[in-house]
Amino acid sequence: MRRLRNIEEKFFRVLMFLSTSIIVIALTLIIVSILYKGLPSLTWEMISQTPKGGFYFGKEGGILNAIIGSLYLALASTILAFLIGLPVALMMNVHLVKHKKLVNAIRFFLDLLWGVPSIVYGAFGFTVMIYFGLKTSLLAGIFTVTLFIIPIMVRGMDEVLKTIPRGLMESALSLGSTSSEISYRIYIRQVISGLITSILLSFGRAIGDAASVLFTTGYTDHIPTALNQPTATLPLAIFFQLSSPIPEVQNRAYASALVLTIIILIISIASRYFSKRYQKNRIKN
Amino acid sequence: MDQKTKITISDLNLHIGKQQILKNINLEIPEKKITVILGPSGCGKTTLLKSLNRLTDLYPEMKVTGNIMIDNDDILHTGEDITRLRQKMGLLSQRPYPLPMNIYNNVAFGLRISGRKKKRFLDKRVEHYLKMANLWDEVKDRLKDPASALSIGQQQRLCLARGLAVDPDIILADEPTSALDPISSEAIEKKFVELKQQYTIVMVTHVLRQARRIADYVVFMYLGEIIEQGTAEEVFDNPKEEITKQYLKGTFN
Ligand SMILES: Nc1ncnc2c1ncn2[C@@H]1O[C@H](COP(=O)(O)OP(=O)(O)OP(=O)(O)O)[C@@H](O)[C@H]1O
Ligand SMILES: [Mg+2]
């Protein structure tokens, strides 16, 4: 008996070690290859200029259009998805607390939407655009990406709201709070760090996704100045440069990937900092 | 004895699925007295308290039937705003749940949501209720600290202050001294005896000596039923039922 348990313990330890190593090695390889190929091409020109003629054949210019475009797109859709998603997540966990079945149905539905590939959202956005006679534009992209990240945002916030002990709601109710007061004055404070994580996760998906913007935002060498203009995005910039046969252009694709990685890194660090700061009032359970 | 009744419970039954948690509860709770509910763990004391301010609403699996009259409101079937009814009852839950904000705001919260927002008024009230809960001296220099930093016993007293601050008629206290040392427990007991001048108090406790010290009325529950109820003298000195005797003697199994 003892021996069997020892073998079992060893087996699971080895298994854990192996899977951890695979993940760490794979991630390291990806980052090293991005750095190795991208870093030499990551010049100041690359991030401070829009593409000039012949940029995609290895001539001068940069990807500022795609950086700005991606930031506009991801910021706007993350904000929109947050404004739509937060009330939904709060509603599911506070107002609808008596309707478990309905809430579980909503969760199931959102999980399905989460699983739908982003290209389908892209196609849907495209259909809607055609219906309204819109051209590829920043607005169409924001619309599509917002739809695409809403399930991620709502379910992420829902999962953290779910962890709030029922006793907190009972206490708040006995003080005479309404559902909205519980939602916006108590629940949000309790899980603020988790909410920030959900926002970050959604932002990461929004800025990194190529398929949903492929048909909807179009692509251009200019920085958009209005919502109805087409917009370049980093994932598509990477895609176009990577499909080029010219090695220099391919290396620029890696430099663009590096830029994308750095943006996500900055957002992660910032969100960690903020979630730590707002965590101090949290009630542990 | 011309004692006014504050809460009248009649034929209260509570089911969860096929299981019956509360069986035919009939109980009159007198105004401005301390009614202590005794009974072994799992017999439904907490559930009974929660029925009184309709926290049972939160659990769709709970089916409640019967009547609970508080003053003249039939609270289980009332059209009146349930948040107003709940404000009449301060609940001290078995485990303290301070709100995720600082100590000051925990006490001020109930006042703010009922529309009283002037800083000078709030400052005074917060101090008043923290003193009432015997917590003021410990926290007066750290009112801006998060409530989560307090010890469990301090949190229990904070929850008392917070509950009193909404100016209820009734205090529902579920083992309010379970996390306190004997000295703080005694302070809270004394406080409760003082508070009954103004409030109707329903308290659950497992500490028999505490019950003897402060109870005016005693209710003994077992497996979801009320086995015995009466004045403290009646129940403690002359229990009628065999189970009650055993429980009070501590020879209960
Ligand atoms: N939400 C729930 N779902 C299922 N069963 C529940 C629920 N709440 C309470 N119960 C059951 O109801 C019964 C009474 O529980 P209750 O918490 O009222 O007991 P109690 O007398 O307060 O016990 P204790 O002294 O341990 O606090 C228990 O058997 C418990 O398991
Ligand atoms: Mg209990």
Side-chain angles (χ1 to χ4, degrees), chain A residues 97-100 165-178 181 185-186 189-190 280-285, chain B residues 50 53 55 57-61 83 86-87 89 91 93 95 97-102 109 112-113 146 148 162-163 166:
Chain A
V97 63
K98 295 167 220 171
H99 306 276
K100 261 192 201 147
R166 187 57 62 86
L168 187 60
M169 187 186 286
E170 292 181 356
S171 298
L173 285 175
S174 355
L175 293 173
S177 330
T178 61
E181 282 157 353
R185 297 193 185 202
I186 299 176
R189 281 172 204 261
Q190 171 73 0
K280 66 175 202 300
N281 278 319
R282 208 176 138 252
I283 305 301
K284 288 127 207 136
N285 49 309
Chain B
K50 284 184 185 171
N53 74 357
L55 287 178
D57 284 8
L58 294 184
Y59 301 87
E61 64 273 20
T83 55
R86 285 193 182 121
Q87 246 167 359
M89 287 170 265
L91 175 78
S93 54
R95 272 184 52 194
Y97 285 102
L99 305 173
M101 45 189 83
N102 67 33
F109 181 84
R112 287 210 181 97
I113 59 174
S148 56
R162 175 183 82 179
V166 294

Side-chain angles (χ1 to χ4, degrees), chain B residues 16 19 21 39-48 59 61-62 94 174-175 204 206:
Chain B
I16 298 179
Q19 209 191 343
I21 309 292
S41 180
C43 69
K45 305 179 296 292
T46 299
T47 312
L48 180 59
Y59 301 87
E61 64 273 20
M62 289 187 181
Q94 200 162 357
D174 200 348
E175 298 182 45
V204 172
H206 282 292

Side-chain angles (χ1 to χ4, degrees), chain B residues 155-189:
Chain B
Q155 289 183 10
Q156 250 174 1
R157 284 175 283 156
L158 180 68
C159 291
L160 176 61
R162 175 183 82 179
L164 295 174
V166 294
D167 197 22
D169 298 346
I170 302 167
I171 298 173
L172 307 172
D174 200 348
E175 298 182 45
T177 60
S178 59
L180 297 180
D181 63 279
I183 295 171
S184 321
S185 293
E186 228 184 286
I188 292 285
E189 279 173 28

